Amino acid sequence: MFRPRIPVNPAPTHLVPRLVQPTAITSAHDRPSSPCACSHSAPATQVSSRVPGPSVRLTGTGLACAVAGGTAVVLVVGAVLVSMLLAVAITGASVAVCAVVLRSLLNTERHHR
């Protein structure tokens, strides 16, 4: 059931047969033979007078909550990005200070010899 069935083409015609053949569903009403004894009525046509509106309707409170939530998300993301930038800046500054101190220590040892 879960293994794929690869069709075998005995003749080299480059035509691959379909794996699943479509099945046609026929009902008693589709046959053109004799009319059935059912009482068919024409489908009623409905005219919709409703104007389509937005799918989400916000009240004043809902709008205020959405604005407050969006503001909170922006502030949190901004704080995280600023803290990451500060961490990178502080790390870079400390590495630079360490490099300057090591350079001065190595230079002073060379001059004293």
Side-chain angles (χ1 to χ4, degrees), residues 23-49:
T23 58
I25 300 173
T26 58
S27 67
H29 301 293
D30 292 339
R31 290 188 215 132
S33 59
S34 63
C36 62
C38 303
S39 61
H40 293 284
S41 63
T45 59
Q46 286 185 332
V47 177
S48 176
S49 63

Side-chain angles (χ1 to χ4, degrees), residues 73-111:
V73 167
V74 166
L75 289 176
V76 168
V77 169
V80 168
L81 291 176
V82 167
S83 65
M84 289 172 63
L85 180 65
L86 283 174
V88 169
I90 290 171
T91 304
S94 64
V95 167
V97 168
C98 289
V100 168
V101 169
L102 283 175
R103 184 176 175 190
S104 67
L105 287 174
L106 291 174
N107 281 338
T108 56
E109 284 184 14
R110 286 184 193 157
H111 289 304

Side-chain angles (χ1 to χ4, degrees), residues 43-63:
T45 59
Q46 286 185 332
V47 177
S48 176
S49 63
R50 183 173 172 232
V51 177
S55 60
V56 177
R57 295 181 185 222
L58 290 177
T59 61
T61 307
L63 184 62

